[in-house]
Amino acid sequence: MTKLDSKVPKGKLKDKWSNYKAHQNLVNPANKRKIDVIVVGTGLAGGAAAASLAEMGFKVKAFCYQDSPRRAHSIAAQGGINAAKNYPNDGDTIYRLFYDTIKGGDYRSREANVYRLAEVSNAIIDQAVAQGVPFAREYSGYLDNRSFGGALVSRTFYARGQTGQQLLLGAYSALSRQIGLGNVEMHNRTELMDIVIVDGKARGIVTRNLITGEIKSHFGHAVVLATGGYGNVFYLSTNAMGSNGSAVWKAYKRGAFFANPAFVQIHPTCIPRHGEFQSKLTLMSESLRNDGRIWVPKKKEDAEAIRAGKMRPEDIPDEDRDFYLERRYPAFGNLVPRDVASRAAKERTDNGFGIEKNESGEGVYLDFKYAIERLGKDVIEARYGNLFQMYEKITDENPYETPMRIYPTIHYTMGGLWVDYELQSTIPGLFVTGEANFSDHGANRLGASALMQGLADGYFVLPYTIQNYLAYEITNPRKNPAELEEFKKAEEGVKSQINRLMSVKGNKSADYYHRELGKILWDKVGMARNEKGLKEAIEEIKALRKEFWENLHIPGNTNTVNPELEKANRVADFLELGELMAYDALSRNESCGGHFREEYATEEGEAMRRDDEYMYVAAWEYKGDDKEPELHKEPLEYEEIEVKTRNYKTA
Amino acid sequence: MAHKTINIKLKVWRQKDAKSKGAFETYELKNISVDSSFLEMLDVLNEKLVSENKEPIAYDHDCREGICGMCSLFINGRAHGPDDLITTCQLHMRKFSDGETIVIEPWRVGSFPVIKDLMVDRTAYEKIMQAGGFVSVSTGGVPDANAIPIPKEDADEAMDAAACIGCGACVATCKNSSAMLFVAAKVSQLALLPQGKVEASRRAKNMIAKMDELGFGNCSNTGACEMECPKGISLAHIARLNREFLTANIKS
C-alpha cells in the first residue's frame, strides 16, 4: 500500500500545467509580506526561486555555505541549456524535448513533470536574455544553438563554455537586487544542520555559522531545499569540494522519502585521475562530442605500447583506430547519451584497450584532429578555446596537437528527495527543487538539461506551486523560534551531534573515511553493479561507518572556522546515504539508464529494462538508524508516450 | 608509471582570527607529484598537520576548476601564483622547482579583512553588486529571446566582461586596492547589451558610490589588475565604466 500521491492534475498532458495554474490557490499581495520562505542553496534552482519569490512579495531567507551565492556549483556547468525554441528550424517542438527527456531517462521519470519542464523551457531563455546573459549569437544578431547527446536537433543555447556561470550570474543578479531591496535576508557561509517539523509541517531550519560556529534557528512558513546533488558521496566527482548531501539526508531522517538514490550519472568525458591525492575530477564538456571523435586502439598491442609510453596516439593510423561509439551506434555516434557513452568506454577499457598510463589503464581518446582538418583550428578555438586551455593547464598536453585523454566519472545524481507535481516532499511545507529532487531525469539525465530543470523549478514552477500551500498559511503568524520547543530540541540535537564528532578523538581524518567510502561505492555501486558486490558494499559501508565513529579525528574547536568539522559532518551523512544507494541498487533487479546491473544485460551488452516489474519510482522511508528503510513505489504510467527499448543505433 | 616529484619549503601566513596578529610559519613537504594541483599540495600538508594534531591551514576553495572564484591565494607575490590566466586551483606543482621556497599569503586588502589564515571576507563585493549589478527585471513578462537582435561583436565583448569570477585578484594586485576592474566588468557587460543599456548610467553611479563608501581605492591606470585577472578581463572595460559614470554625472 503506497502512501505516495503525485498530485498530477487531471486532463490532457499538454493542458495539465495551464489547468493547474488556472485553478491553484494564490496568496494576495498584503498577505505575502507576512509569509517567510526559507530557501537553502543559491544555485540555479535556489537562487532563481529566492529572487522570484522575493519579487512576488514574500519575505525570503536564503542560505549558502559559500562566501557568496554566486559561487554555487551551478557555476561550473559548461556546455549549455536546452529549450524547445526551434530557432534553427530543425523540427524541434515541446513534445520532442519532452519525448527525448523521457527516452533519455530510460522511461523512469514522471510524464507530467517532464512535459511541464519542456513547456517552460522557452521562457527560461527569454528570462536569461532579459537579465543580460550574453548567450552566443550569430552574425545576424540572433541566438546560436548547438547539439548535445540524445537529441537529433540543435536546441542547446550556450555562452562559450561557461553557460552555467552566466545563467547563475543572471539569477545571482536578480537575487542581489532583492537583497539590496531588503526582500531577501541572505546568510552566507552558513550550513543547514537540521530541518524543524512542528505539528507535522516543515517550519524552519537550524544552521551553523561556518565562521563563528554559532548554532541558530530560523522560522519559515515553508522550507525550500535547493541544495544540489550528492555525487560527492563518491569522494571523487566533478562536484565542488563543498557539495554535499547533508540537507537532503537530514530531510530524509525527518521523514521525507528519498527517491531512486541509486540513479547517479557517470559523465563520459572527464580528465582521468592522476594520483592518490587527487581531490576532484574535472569535466570536459559534452559539447566537445559535437566535434571530437572518441576512439581507442584497435590492436591490443598498440594499447599496451601506449600505456607503456612507447607509442603516441598520433602514431596510430586511422585504420587501426576503433571509433567504438560510431561503430556501435551509427545513428547517434559520438553523441549518444552519457550512460551509453560511459559504459562503452568501460567495456573497451575492461577488455584491455584503455590508454591511460597507470595500473587501471582507464582512459580513452577524444580526438579533434578530424574537426581541425575539416573546419580549421580557428573555428575549433572559437568553439572550445577555454576548455582546451583548461585541459592544457591540468594535463600539460596540447589538445590541438594530441588527443584528449578522458574517462567517465561521477557527475550528477538523478535520484533525490521524492516530490509530487508541486515539488513538495512527503513532509508538508518542505519543497525540493533542482538536482536535490528526483523528478525529471528518470534514470539518466540528458546533457544541458540540468540547467534547464534548475531554472524551470526556480523561476517558473515552485513560485507558483508553493502558493497552493502557502495560501493556507496566511492565518499562521510569523513565530519566534526561541519560543518553540521543537526548535530548542533540534538545536540541542545538532549540538550533541557536533560534540559526539569532536569527542571521538581517534586518529584518522574525515577525508580518509570519505576516500574509503568513495572506493567502495565506485567499485561496487558505480558504473556496473551486481548482487554480490552490492551486498558486500552494504556490509563494508556499515563497518566503515562504525570505524568512523570510533576513530575519527577532528583538530581545533567548534566556535571558529573548522574545515575538518565541516567535512566530518558531511562525511557522517554520506556514510549513511551510501548504504541507502546500495539498498536501492540491490532492490532494482533490472538495468536502466545510469543503473546498470550486470545480471540484466543483453547479449550486446546493452541495458535490459524490466518494465513489467520495475516501472516505478523507488521512494525510501527512513525507519530508524538500526532498521532497514522501507520501500514505497510510485508506479509510472505513460499515457502519451509509447514505452520502447532505447535505441541509439538507428534513427 | 612513476610520477616526477619535488621537495618544497612553504612559508604560510597563519592568523587565528580577524582580531589576532598573524605571522608566517614554515613547513616542509617531500615527494610532491608535479602533476598535483597547488591546492592538492595544500591538502597533503593539511592531512599531515591533522595527523600531528595541529590545526590545518584554513583557505577558501570550492569548485577546483577555475570558475567559482572562491580560491584566493597570493603566492610568491602574485595573485593566484606564477602562471597567467588561471585561478589558484588551476595552478599545478610543475610550475615550481625542486627545493623551492613558496610564500603563501591571503589577499592583503583593507576592504577584504582576513577571517582566518588565508581566508578573507569579500562581503564588500556582495554589497557593490546589490547596489546595481543587475538589470531591474523581474521573473516573467519579458519578450521573446530573439525579439531584439544583438550584434555578435557586442555579445562577444559583453561575454568577455561577464567572465569575471569575483575572486578579488584585481583588488589584491592593485597598489590602491581599487575595485574598478570588478565594477567595470559588470557595468560594461550590461551597458553593451540593449537590455542593460536602459539603466547603464544609473548603475555605474550607484556601484561606484558603493565602492567608494566601502573604502576601495581609486584607479590610477597601471594595468596591474588586468595582468593578474584569471579571466583576462581587459582594462578597456574601465574606460567604458568611466564613460557611463561621466554620463550619469552630466545628466544629474
Side-chain angles (χ1 to χ4, degrees), chain A residues 36 55 90 165 186 222 224 250 253 266 304 377 427:
Chain A
D36 293 341
E55 287 161 5
D90 53 4
Q165 179 199 26
M186 186 67 225
V224 181
K250 301 291 191 230
K253 292 181 86 168
I266 299 184
E304 280 158 12
K377 192 184 162 200
I427 300 175

Side-chain angles (χ1 to χ4, degrees), chain B residues 217-252:
Chain B
N218 292 315
C219 172
S220 48
N221 272 309
T222 66
C225 52
E226 178 187 65
M227 297 301 291
E228 290 299 356
C229 173
K231 298 297 158 185
I233 308 254
S234 156
L235 215 53
H237 296 295
I238 295 187
R240 187 171 290 109
L241 166 64
N242 284 332
R243 220 154 43 234
E244 293 299 339
F245 186 64
L246 214 63
T247 317
N249 284 340
I250 295 165
K251 276 186 195 158
S252 59

Side-chain angles (χ1 to χ4, degrees), chain A residues 97-110 114 149-150 260 263 265 337-339 414 438-447 449 588 590-595 609 611 615-616 636 638 641 644 646 648:
Chain A
L97 173 55
F98 152 72
Y99 173 80
D100 287 349
T101 308
I102 292 267
K103 176 186 170 192
D106 218 354
Y107 305 92
R108 290 294 175 267
S109 43
R110 191 188 290 144
V114 178
N260 301 334
F263 288 176
Q265 176 160 79
R338 292 172 177 177
D339 55 336
M414 282 76 69
F438 87 102
S439 76
D440 295 349
H441 307 297
N444 174 59
R445 179 176 64 75
L446 289 182
S449 284
R588 193 172 277 278
E590 64 162 351
S591 293
C592 58
H595 169 66
R609 263 189 359 240
D611 292 343
M615 195 125 89
Y616 60 75
L636 292 167
Y638 293 95
I641 275 187
K644 293 185 200 160
R646 239 171 14 145
Y648 293 100

Side-chain angles (χ1 to χ4, degrees), chain A residues 3-59:
Chain A
K3 295 183 198 172
L4 298 168
D5 176 8
S6 63
K7 293 196 207 151
V8 171
K10 300 232 176 326
K12 282 192 174 152
L13 189 61
K14 66 178 176 47
D15 299 327
K16 285 182 194 289
W17 182 231
S18 311
N19 286 345
Y20 177 87
K21 286 193 291 182
H23 298 107
Q24 71 163 120
N25 292 299
L26 294 170
V27 181
N28 90 13
N31 282 328
K32 281 180 182 146
R33 289 194 286 278
K34 298 181 198 157
I35 299 275
D36 293 341
V37 182
I38 285 174
V39 180
V40 188
T42 57
L44 292 176
S52 302
L53 288 166
E55 287 161 5
M56 289 170 158
F58 292 103
K59 289 291 169 194

